[in-house]
Structure formats: structure tokens, C-alpha cells
Amino acid sequence: MKMILLRKFRVLILMVFLIACSMHIMIDLLPKLERHGNNGCSCSHTPSEEPQNWGKQGWPNKHTLRILQDFSNEPSSNVSSHSLERIPATGDKTQALRRLEHLGQRADRKRHFIQDVNKNMPVRGSRLSALYDHPLYKRSPPTLTDEDTLFNVNTDLRFDPKAAEDQAWNTEGNQEEFSPTGELASDSYPNWLRFHIGINRYELYSRHNPVIDALLKDLVSQKITSVAMKSGGTQLKLIMTFQNYGQALFKPMKQTREQETPPDFFYFSDFERHNAEVAAFHLDKILDFRRVPPVAGRLVNMTKEIRDVTRDKKLWRTFFISPANNVCFYGECSYYCSTEHALCGKPDQIEGSLAAFLPDLALAKRKTWRNPWRRSYHKRKKAEWEVDPDYCEEVKQTPPYDSGTRLLDIMDMTVFDFLMGNMDRHHYETFEKFGNETFIIHLDNGRGFGKHSHDEVSILVPLTQCCRIRKSTHLRLQLLAKEEFKLSLLMSESLVRDWLSPVLIQQHLQAMDRRVRQVLNVLSDCVEKEGYSYVVEDDLQGPTPPPRQR
């Protein structure tokens, strides 16, 4: 009898144990099943989601994988991260579904912000439209010959993106481009390729080129398929490759809009700001230079769009989860690439600028020039131009500044940099095909818009020493100083079209108005000292065609 009771007791204990195990398994699987069932939700990816492709790549080890998952196993661990995918109590499921639906709709609205904002902006009363209708912005470009275009493309040829699949487009650091050959008509070329084809001796893109707006939308919406760190440079930059095989340079957010460069920082150790890159593109366009490659702001998912798609082991190893349960990384570079200066998302979303790549150097070589007014990049030493007031006379006797338009291009760049407060212009580039008779490409503008409370007048030294300016630039500056075409209002209207709007705070916009007046005062002093005909170079008759090369 005792044996029977003992057996029954053991069976009862075993059943209780099995029931308890089953309940634990069900409780553990329930949140995952609910998340799996919400495939229609367009919520942002959170740190709690494990990457899909690490197992395939093979090189992450269990220890580092565990570090990235330390804060993601318990549902309560995401409370401090404001994750959009937290699962509420069972009684609030209806409310939760409504909330997820609302968030999905909001994400869709943000994704299509660039397309919708043009509909909301009234054309009537638009200062930008009025500016571009001004005669100064309606000058006809010169007739282009084969020598004036960067690429001589036969539009009857066809382009096949599939032909590029065997060229390892997504491998680490690969920056190759490809020529139009294949199956698609020229009108169906990807926008980045159409941008490259449109580059000529006088400009990166034409004044009303619809391809540029389309390219800006691509920079925001195209799927990112590969990410690698850019070699060189002092701060972290990423090369991002898109689904349409285009590439862009990504600069992540390091400072908020309101932060100014600390007064004790040297110009060469200042942060590079993502919003400065975006604002520089719009400023360059308003000044009618069109020498900055297209740049757009984008909110990037650090988990899905960087960590999960990179094949750069050095980059991947720097990812970690912060004590606030946010995804962070720091990469490798000369400055600010450490755990103390890590770039962290909220929880894994981070702002950044995406600048469209110029054509590959193998297809269109560029020449790098040392800026004559380059700073010393030393804590104590000064550059020659800082101690020699007649320095410009020496520059004007040195090729290529002794002839052509190069010196005037330097003056344009000086005005451009002063309006932004950019002191970091040590080199510049030109396309080698066009020789010395071409424009300067305004690259790398991330150290602009650092101080709105201070105007760095030393940036204007080239202008004060040389007292030379194009007539078109002078007249545009006078136009932008008028109340109806005030630069701050034009910039504000132009920047609102960017996804990261507001790109600049009001103080930076007002600082540009103040700096326009300072440039005009410098030019007024030059005219009074040297005479109008010496200072102002009349370029409104149209650029002189360069001599034919045999």
C-alpha cells in the first residue's frame, strides 16, 4: 500500500514539474510570438531585435554577441530606451494595437516627408521662387562641347545594373562606378549616374536640373546594402552603398543644433557637424555656385542599416549597448573615436548627412590643390598670409592664380566659408580633364556653422588682401542683403524641405545676414581704395571659352 502511494506521489510531483516547465516555456515564447505576428508594424528597429545575418557571416564570436544582447533579453530592460516595440499589459492590447497603427502611419508620413513638403509649400509668395526668377539667376550657360563635359555619353547605349553584380559592389570600401552599357534606356539610368553625366566645366549640376531633387530623395529613401568606414580623415565617416549601386558619404550627428564650438577649441580639433553639410549644400545653391555635391539629411537605423549590413570587422567590433540601453558605436579615426566619444542612437536611430559621391577617380580624375590661404594647423605657429599683408601679390604671380578665373574662384570660396564660419579649408579639388579653366569643388563643409555668436573675420583675409570679386557674386550678395531676399529667410525656406528640418537654429540664420553685410563692407572699402573696375571682374557677358586642346 505504501509503495502505491509513493508511486502516485512521484507521478504527481513529475506532473507538477512538467506543468511548471510548460508554463515557463509559454511565458518565454509569448512576447516573441506577439512581435512576430506584428509584421505590418513599421515601428523602428530596437536593440532587442537580434540581427538576421550574423550567423551567416560567421566571424562574430559568442562573447561579443552576448555583449550586444546583455540588455535585450528581459521585456522590462527596454523601459528606459523608449522602445516602440514594448509589449503592454494583456488588458491593454486593443490600445496597444491602435498605438502601433498610429506609429506606423507616422513613420510612413516621415518617410514621404520630402515628397509631401513640396505640396504643402505655397508657390505664390515663395522667396526662393522669386529669387530664381531674378535676372541674375537666369543667365544662359555657355554652349557645351565634348571638351566641356566630364563624360561623353552616347544615350543610345543601354545600362544593365545586373552586370555589376559580379564586380563585388557590396564589398568593403569598394568605390568603383560603372559605365552605361546594358539593357535599360538612358532615361532609366539611376539618378546618381545621371548626376555624374551632367557635370561639366562650369558647374556640378544645372540650375533647374530635376535629377538633383530626385537624387536627394534617393539619399533619404534608398535601401542601404553595405557600409564601410572611410579611410583617412580625422573623424569617423562611413561609405554607404545603396540598392541602386549609388554611394554616399555619411557623417553622423555629433552635436545638437544648439551647441556651439567651445571657445577653447582649435579649428582643427572642432567637431564635424552633419547639419553643416546639409546647410552648406543649400547655401551653395542659393549663392548660385552649384559646386557642392547634393547632400540630404537622413535618420538612420544603426542596427538594421549599419551594424547588420557592414562587412567591416573593425567597425562592427565597436558596437555596444550603453547603460541607457541605446545602441552605440565609435569606429576608428584620429579624433573622437573612443568609448568616451561614442555615437549613440535613441535607442538605435541616429541623424546624419549623406553626400552623393562624385564619379570614381578611375573614371574622372581630380586634382588636389593646396589652398594658398591654408592655416598653419599648429597651436603656436602662424601661416605666411597671417603675417604678410602683401601676401596676395605673391599669390597672383604664381600659376594657376596668375591667369584665368582661379583667383576669383578662391574669392567665391572665401565668401562661402565666411558665411558658414568654416575655418577648415586646407585643400580644394578640381576635375583634371578641364585643366585650370574650371570651378573649385566645395567639398567637406562639416566644420561650418559652429559659432553663431562670433564672426571669424580672418576667413575674409583673401578678400581683404586681394580686393577682387566677380560681378555676379557681388550683385548676388547685394541682392541677398535686401529685405525681400534676406539670406536667412531664403535658407530657412530651402532647408525646410530637408528631412531633418529644422537644420539650423535661428541664431545661425541671423548670423548669415550679419556676415553678408560684413562682406559687402569689405568690398566697399576695396572699391574706395582700388576703384570699382579693378575690384569687380565683369563676368556677366558670359564665361570666355577655354582654348582648344589639340
Side-chain angles (χ1 to χ4, degrees), residues 167-211:
Q167 301 178 16
W169 282 99
N170 295 331
T171 56
E172 176 183 344
N174 193 335
Q175 301 180 34
E176 290 186 86
E177 307 292 348
F178 48 94
S179 59
T181 56
E183 297 176 352
L184 298 179
S186 60
D187 291 341
S188 299
Y189 286 174
N191 292 310
W192 61 265
L193 182 57
R194 297 171 70 188
F195 160 58
H196 290 176
I197 292 172
I199 297 173
N200 61 62
R201 181 185 298 275
Y202 307 105
E203 58 196 6
L204 279 178
Y205 56 91
S206 58
R207 192 172 285 123
H208 303 294
N209 189 349
V211 171

Side-chain angles (χ1 to χ4, degrees), residues 34 86 88 121 170 186 212 263 265 290 302 376 509:
E34 288 196 24
R86 279 187 298 159
M121 287 190 58
N170 295 331
S186 60
I212 301 305
F265 267 40
R290 301 188 302 285
M302 296 165 63
S376 66
L509 297 172

